[in-house]
Amino acid sequence: MKICHSMLAGAGFLAMSCIPGLAQEVKGLPGSPDATITIDGKQLPQADPRFGGVINQKASESQPWWAPRIAPPQGAPNVLLIMTDDVGFGAPGTFGGVVPTPALDRIANEGLRFTNFHSTSLCSPSRAALITGRNHHVAGFGVVGEMATGYPGYNSIIRKENGTIGTILRDHGYATSWFGKNHNTPFYQSSQAGPFDQWPSGMGFEYFYGFVGGDASQWQPNLFRNTTAIYPFEGKPDWNLTTAMADDAIQYMTQLKEIAPDKPFLVYYVPGGTHAPHHPTPEWIKKIGDMHLFDEGWNKLRETIFANQKRLGIMPENAKLTPWPKELPEWDTLNLEQKKLLIKQADVYGAYLAYTDNEIGRVIQAVDDLGERDNTLIIYISGDNGASAEGMVNGTPNEFTTFNGVPVPVKDQYLWYEFWGSDRTFPHFSAGWAWAMGTPFKWMKQVPSHFGGTAQGMAMSWLGHIVDAGGIRRQFHHFIDIVPTILEATGITAPDTINGIQQRPFDGVSMMYTWDKANAKAPSTRKTQYFEMLGNRAIYHDGWVAATTPATLPWELSAKTPPDVISGYKWELYNVKDDPTQFDDLAAKMPDKLKEMQALFYSEAAKHDVLPLDNSTLARWNAPRPSLTAGRAEFTYSGELSGVPASAAPKILDKSYSITAEVEIPEGGAEGMIVTEGGRFGGYGLFLSKGELGFGSGKVVFLYNLLDLKRTTWEGPTLDAGKHTIVFDFKSDGPALGQGGTGILTVDGKEVVRNSLDHTTPITFPEDESFDVGLDTRSGVAMIEYRYDPPFRFTGKIDKLTFKLSEQPTAKP
């Protein structure tokens, strides 16, 4: 429909030229304040129309005119896009698991269950694919952001040619929001200095409430509202992000519908559960523990899940349960001490999954309570990749031990047994549980070649539109298919340009054809899909999968030299039409078919920025990348500064350094944090002690926390009123990862204590903590000795704080 000003001429107004760019459906009188328009959306944002009224010398002889407000197509639904984290295919009850997930059940029973839906096998890559509709390398996330490298497919930057679903729906009149995990902001752009175009608000999501990075404590998270750090948990020991996030989303939707009832929303709801740390509330731990779901161990659990999957129709009758790997112990070979700890780990994990689903259920119920249920497309994806093996073989009370390559023996883990899942732990379960949660498939998170790493249960409902209630769909689909599905459901076309930038076509295809009951067994419209992560790879084509055998174990992160990325891998071949669990390897029987599939993989890799292949793991953590600290050896601060991510902080790992604090102490003394990075689960702090009952306060202390396994302290004198200079000087024993060294604490030019570290943190301090000056946010580095409660503000004055880093080369793996 073309709108011209001559439509106003009959009212005695001067006719003018037609309004450019205004097409499709218009509601209300053009030019009036209440007029709306649905745009074709080929160019986003829509260009401003020319003024369509009349301007003379006098207002009384002129005609005002308002540009019509952009509104989505008639009948366009709200979209609630939900995704959990690190959930194996066989974990939730909805897909055969033993953990109750009634919210996921509800969506599946009201709509459809998809049993052949796939991720990329790692967190931020899957999320980039999900919100852009493009393959993860094309979207810049060939690997998690923490391991970004300087190649287009791996630099953790979503290029502007890959506009997100947030941007598209926002520019068509939707209210867009993002709750929970944001693992798609480059680490080197995550500070207060920005830039913010790669934050949710810069990717089309008008409101963000969540955390930035791969994981976060649910008790003291690195939480943001939009781009501002917030600390609602301070002084509230029972506060938990899983509940607080649901509360905030419900408030957001309620407020929106009260203010603008006709404005549809896109709510992208992505909680941290069940990524480590497994942090459910004590009530949920007791509830799941009392059910004794995991007491018989992981081998029996797999059999139970597989039987459930056959009974529910999740797996066809011809499906076979894949064998248990020889690299992981059989349950019956474990002793009682091991079993007790491992059952506790699984109970807390199960509690976290059930708790997360329960809070998602509250959000879904809120949509119902608002009267929006019939007008809301709900997509609930169970996991952004397979279950995680990043707890190593024994599990760990602190996930950052894994990321630093440090296994924790079972007997040592019992120090945390009684409060597993509380804020005193950052826990992760054993790799054995991860394999079991992927039933009936092989492998897990990080492994894209096998469905244990990529198969995700998914449910989708839209009352009145998806009418095959409780139906099961087995068509092969991928995360990149969600954006095209949403656009077809809303009646919105893919834009040609966004902000003048030509858009890359979607790699995904719409799944809406599966909604029709007549298409329940129709062939999949996705014929080909490549997979690659950390050098491991696979290709799907028309019911066949060629896949490499993982050359490194996902539960053994190490700095060992990997095999040659091309020649060092064995390939497997599966006919997944007849063998949906990848049980029977046909590579030896069908070498020609395997070669055909391998050639197809490399063809797809060349098209989608997959090259160059790189199978290094921990080495990529230390890869050079853009940073506000790059090339700097000296840093100066004064006063208070908080919430600075590691990418913008002085990096003291694996080198010599000095910290000099010039402070003023008031009459009566002072206490509090001068500078810190990290927290309970690893890091350091220079502070004046709090003391106990008025005794022992004001002492100079430097504390080094090695992954919550060992704390080493340097204690100096209590400072009198006046100016003082404190220096902590550390000399590393060498450039190797985690090398020890000697630290000297000096006060006012006098050495007061010298101490040694056998080991230092090799790879990373906890990524959900921050660098703080003059206070300590989230959790404290001290535990018993010198314990304090954050924010532990410094009650003196910091005149100048200086870091000097050595010029010795960064440690190499």
Side-chain angles (χ1 to χ4, degrees):
M1 179 179 177
K2 196 173 187 181
I3 311 300
C4 295
H5 296 298
S6 59
M7 296 176 66
L8 304 177
F13 300 125
L14 178 65
M16 298 179 67
S17 61
C18 294
I19 307 171
L22 297 184
Q24 301 182 32
E25 182 181 3
V26 176
K27 288 187 176 181
L29 180 66
S32 66
D34 62 346
T36 64
I37 189 165
T38 299
I39 61 175
D40 63 19
K42 292 182 179 178
Q43 298 178 353
L44 295 178
Q46 178 76 13
D48 293 328
R50 290 190 294 270
F51 177 71
V54 177
I55 297 177
N56 288 314
Q57 288 183 323
K58 295 180 179 181
S60 60
E61 297 175 357
S62 301
Q63 172 62 31
W65 187 90
W66 295 92
R69 178 171 52 85
I70 295 173
Q74 180 72 23
N78 305 304
V79 179
L80 176 55
L81 176 56
I82 303 163
M83 182 172 64
T84 50
D85 199 337
D86 281 10
V87 180
F89 181 82
T94 316
F95 290 88
V98 298
V99 180
T101 48
L104 184 54
D105 289 346
R106 177 182 180 184
I107 303 308
N109 292 336
E110 293 175 349
L112 299 173
R113 234 175 288 223
F114 291 82
T115 64
N116 201 4
F117 180 72
H118 296 268
S119 67
T120 70
S121 82
L122 265 182
C123 299
S124 46
S126 289
R127 293 160 189 271
L130 182 64
I131 64 174
T132 67
R134 281 87 171 184
N135 281 307
H136 59 296
H137 294 86
V138 168
F141 279 90
V143 72
V144 289
E146 294 92 328
M147 301 170 74
T149 56
Y151 298 100
Y154 298 89
N155 61 16
S156 74
I157 297 172
I158 296 178
R159 297 192 294 271
K160 292 179 174 59
E161 66 178 358
N162 298 317
T164 73
I165 187 63
T167 296
I168 297 170
L169 293 195
R170 179 200 63 194
D171 288 354
H172 277 271
Y174 271 74
T176 58
S177 59
W178 180 333
F179 294 87
K181 177 172 172 174
N182 164 25
H183 205 185
N184 292 119
T185 295
F187 273 57
Y188 47 88
Q189 295 183 8
S190 61
S191 79
Q192 298 91 325
F196 297 104
D197 62 315
Q198 295 279 312
W199 283 63
S201 58
M203 292 189 278
F205 296 87
E206 298 166 308
Y207 179 75
F208 171 58
Y209 178 92
F211 60 92
V212 178
D215 54 20
S217 166
Q218 298 297 290
W219 303 108
Q220 299 106 4
N222 58 326
L223 186 62
F224 291 82
R225 179 171 278 115
N226 299 319
T227 59
T228 301
I230 58 175
Y231 307 92
F233 46 82
E234 286 185 354
K236 299 176 183 177
D238 296 330
W239 187 97
N240 189 293
L241 177 57
T242 306
T243 293
M245 181 178 142
D247 291 343
D248 205 81
I250 292 167
Q251 169 62 22
Y252 170 86
M253 292 187 298
T254 301
Q255 174 180 281
L256 175 69
K257 289 303 178 181
E258 289 175 348
I259 296 172
D262 295 331
K263 185 167 188 165
F265 60 70
L266 165 65
V267 171
Y268 178 43
Y269 193 86
V270 280
T274 57
H275 195 292
H278 301 159
H279 275 167
T281 61
E283 296 80 9
W284 279 98
I285 294 175
K286 184 179 187 309
K287 181 176 181 178
I288 296 300
D290 288 348
M291 296 174 71
H292 300 285
L293 301 175
F294 306 103
D295 288 8
E296 294 185 80
W298 43 55
N299 297 106
K300 179 63 176 176
L301 178 65
R302 293 185 85 228
E303 295 172 5
T304 300
I305 294 173
F306 190 53
N308 290 343
Q309 291 170 336
K310 288 287 189 76
R311 175 178 53 83
L312 293 169
I314 302 301
M315 281 291 119
E317 282 304 312
N318 66 326
K320 301 174 184 178
L321 179 62
T322 54
W324 186 256
K326 65 181 185 302
E327 295 89 351
L328 290 172
E330 298 273 349
W331 185 259
D332 289 343
T333 66
L334 303 175
N335 62 39
L336 291 178
E337 180 187 50
Q338 291 171 311
K339 289 180 178 180
K340 180 180 178 182
L341 175 68
L342 295 170
I343 290 169
K344 180 74 167 184
Q345 294 174 2
D347 283 344
V348 171
Y349 170 84
Y352 194 25
L353 177 55
Y355 172 41
T356 300
D357 180 81
N358 182 77
E359 298 307 295
I360 290 170
R362 291 178 55 226
V363 175
I364 294 170
Q365 185 58 45
V367 175
D368 236 343
D369 295 342
L370 290 168
E372 294 290 327
R373 189 71 178 83
D374 290 352
N375 190 39
T376 302
L377 169 63
I378 299 180
I379 301 170
Y380 187 158
I381 303 169
S382 178
D384 57 351
N385 44 243
S388 172
E390 290 157 5
M392 298 182 143
V393 173
N394 292 328
T396 177
N398 176 8
E399 183 192 25
F400 291 99
T401 62
T402 299
F403 295 151
N404 285 284
V406 180
V408 184
V410 168
K411 62 181 179 59
D412 293 344
Q413 294 191 48
Y414 269 94
L415 294 171
W416 291 270
Y417 180 89
E418 292 300 328
F419 36 86
W420 202 275
S422 76
D423 64 344
R424 300 184 190 183
T425 64
F426 209 95
H428 198 303
F429 63 11
S430 161
W433 291 123
W435 195 289
M437 296 302 171
T439 301
F441 305 115
K442 291 180 277 192
W443 298 103
M444 63 276 282
K445 178 183 178 181
Q446 299 183 29
V447 180
S449 54
H450 293 72
F451 293 166
T454 68
Q456 312 301 148
M458 193 258 284
M460 192 182 296
S461 77
W462 183 10
L463 300 182
H465 295 78
I466 301 176
V467 295
D468 185 16
I472 290 176
R473 298 294 185 266
R474 304 191 193 281
Q475 289 91 346
F476 183 96
H477 279 286
H478 189 273
F479 272 36
I480 57 177
D481 299 329
I482 293 298
V483 165
T485 302
I486 292 173
L487 293 184
E488 185 177 358
T490 57
I492 292 172
T493 58
D496 294 333
T497 64
I498 295 178
N499 293 321
I501 296 172
Q502 188 71 33
Q503 293 296 286
R504 183 179 176 119
F506 293 127
D507 295 316
V509 298
S510 174
M511 299 172 65
M512 262 187 68
Y513 73 96
T514 65
W515 295 3
D516 190 335
K517 191 171 183 177
N519 289 335
K521 296 183 179 180
S524 174
T525 56
R526 170 152 299 291
K527 301 298 183 184
T528 305
Q529 179 62 45
Y530 80 88
F531 296 86
E532 190 277 338
M533 194 67 61
L534 303 170
N536 199 38
R537 49 208 180 272
I539 184 76
Y540 168 88
H541 180 68
D542 201 20
W544 289 86
V545 170
T548 58
T549 305
T552 55
L553 299 175
W555 54 85
E556 289 185 357
L557 295 178
S558 72
K560 296 177 183 177
T561 302
D564 184 88
V565 72
I566 302 297
S567 62
Y569 288 76
K570 175 188 173 185
W571 281 79
E572 304 168 13
L573 179 68
Y574 299 98
N575 177 359
V576 293
K577 280 184 180 178
D578 299 330
D579 176 23
T581 66
Q582 296 174 296
F583 187 96
D584 295 310
D585 179 10
L586 303 175
K589 296 178 181 178
M590 305 181 68
D592 291 342
K593 182 66 177 179
L594 178 60
K595 288 179 181 178
E596 172 193 326
M597 296 289 286
Q598 289 171 315
L600 181 57
F601 170 81
Y602 288 109
S603 172
E604 291 294 298
K607 293 177 186 175
H608 294 100
D609 294 341
V610 180
L611 304 178
L613 295 174
D614 184 351
N615 60 356
S616 62
T617 53
L618 286 185
R620 278 199 250 183
W621 284 82
N622 287 343
R625 53 184 65 96
S627 167
L628 297 176
T629 66
R632 293 175 61 187
E634 186 168 327
F635 301 77
T636 303
Y637 310 93
S638 63
E640 279 193 5
L641 176 66
S642 65
V644 178
S647 62
K651 187 174 182 181
I652 69 167
L653 300 179
D654 304 311
K655 60 172 62 74
S656 299
Y657 60 90
S658 68
I659 305 171
T660 301
E662 300 172 29
V663 300
E664 291 185 45
I665 306 301
E667 293 294 334
E671 64 178 28
M673 184 60 65
I674 297 172
V675 63
T676 182
E677 184 178 358
R680 177 189 288 273
F681 304 104
Y684 67 88
L686 175 63
F687 56 92
L688 301 189
S689 62
K690 184 175 182 59
E692 294 289 340
L693 301 175
F695 297 99
S697 64
K699 291 182 179 180
V700 179
V701 177
F702 186 85
L703 187 152
Y704 193 91
N705 175 3
L706 182 63
L707 300 171
D708 201 27
L709 301 175
K710 182 180 180 181
R711 287 169 170 81
T712 304
T713 59
W714 289 254
E715 182 184 300
T718 299
L719 299 184
D720 297 328
K723 292 180 177 288
H724 298 274
T725 299
I726 306 165
V727 179
F728 181 77
D729 186 74
F730 182 78
K731 292 292 187 291
S732 173
D733 290 340
L737 289 174
Q739 198 77 351
T742 301
I744 302 172
L745 180 64
T746 301
V747 178
D748 297 330
K750 180 181 178 181
E751 179 180 324
V752 294
V753 63
R754 179 184 296 248
N755 212 339
S756 296
L757 291 173
D758 295 330
H759 303 283
T760 57
T761 305
I763 304 293
T764 179
F765 291 136
E767 68 172 278
D768 67 328
E769 294 279 357
S770 59
F771 175 79
D772 302 317
V773 176
L775 73 166
D776 188 0
T777 57
R778 303 184 184 95
S779 68
V781 291
M783 186 172 69
I784 298 175
E785 189 178 18
Y786 306 112
R787 186 185 181 280
Y788 57 86
D789 294 320
F792 197 39
R793 280 188 160 82
F794 184 57
T795 57
K797 180 183 177 184
I798 300 174
D799 292 329
K800 188 177 182 181
L801 176 70
T802 304
F803 279 71
K804 291 185 178 180
L805 309 181
S806 74
E807 295 182 0
Q808 67 188 62
T810 301
K812 296 279 193 294

